[in-house]
Amino acid sequence: MRYRTLLFASPGLAMVLSLAACGDEQAKGTPADQPSGTTSVQPSGPPADSLTINVKASKEAPAKTWTLNCEPPGGDHPKAADACAALAKAKGQDPFKPVPKDQMCTMIYGGPELAKVKGTWQGKKVNAQFSRDDGCQLDRWEKVGPLFGPVPKVR
């Protein structure tokens, strides 16, 4: 029994001790290959979210265009904070992903409104189109509805 304990404890203890020695240079904030008198500039993270939203009341109607920046919310979007919150809520679902061509959708017409969204979101390029032609498209529109702002009225 004692030998079995030593058999399992020895490799574990060796691993813990070797890991404890790792990263000593990093813990002091100085990389091992850099002198302590210099500083390095690190990237501040992923690129900022920046979108251009183009919304039309119908295919023939003139378009209304807004810009939207998130983190922090900004741009000339009339309700930037609401739009960014809607995108954050839909984060895990990829709100810009098109409806698969083979997906069955209800034939519920939501209206003639159209929208195009281009730019960058979560470091990925976006070039998406939205409509309200059927149940799938309508659901997709509703998930990020604040992104489209006040849709112009059909004339």
Side-chain angles (χ1 to χ4, degrees):
M1 181 74 164
R2 264 191 268 179
Y3 296 113
R4 200 178 310 165
T5 304
L6 285 176
L7 183 66
F8 291 113
S10 297
L13 184 59
M15 185 176 77
V16 168
L17 291 175
S18 66
L19 289 175
C22 291
D24 187 39
E25 295 86 10
Q26 298 296 327
K28 294 177 186 170
T30 307
D33 62 344
Q34 190 175 40
S36 62
T38 62
T39 59
S40 65
V41 177
Q42 298 292 328
S44 61
D49 298 336
S50 178
L51 300 170
T52 300
I53 299 105
N54 184 302
V55 183
K56 297 171 82 173
S58 69
K59 192 184 288 187
E60 299 81 24
K64 179 69 178 164
T65 303
W66 292 288
T67 57
L68 175 68
N69 301 316
C70 293
E71 296 183 30
D76 62 358
H77 193 285
K79 294 187 177 183
D82 292 343
C84 290
L87 286 174
K89 185 177 179 182
K91 194 175 195 174
Q93 303 164 355
D94 190 2
F96 301 112
K97 182 179 174 183
V99 174
K101 293 183 190 293
D102 61 345
Q103 183 167 340
M104 293 180 65
C105 300
T106 60
M107 297 310 298
I108 299 172
Y109 181 70
E113 297 86 2
L114 301 167
K116 291 182 183 180
V117 181
K118 290 185 179 186
T120 305
W121 186 69
Q122 294 186 335
K124 296 179 185 175
K125 292 284 185 189
V126 172
N127 187 1
Q129 296 187 17
F130 291 82
S131 71
R132 298 166 56 91
D133 290 341
D134 61 39
C136 295
Q137 296 292 346
L138 188 57
D139 179 59
R140 192 169 162 246
W141 182 289
E142 294 297 320
K143 284 181 182 173
V144 293
L147 180 64
F148 308 123
V151 178
K153 301 292 181 208
V154 178
R155 296 181 193 193

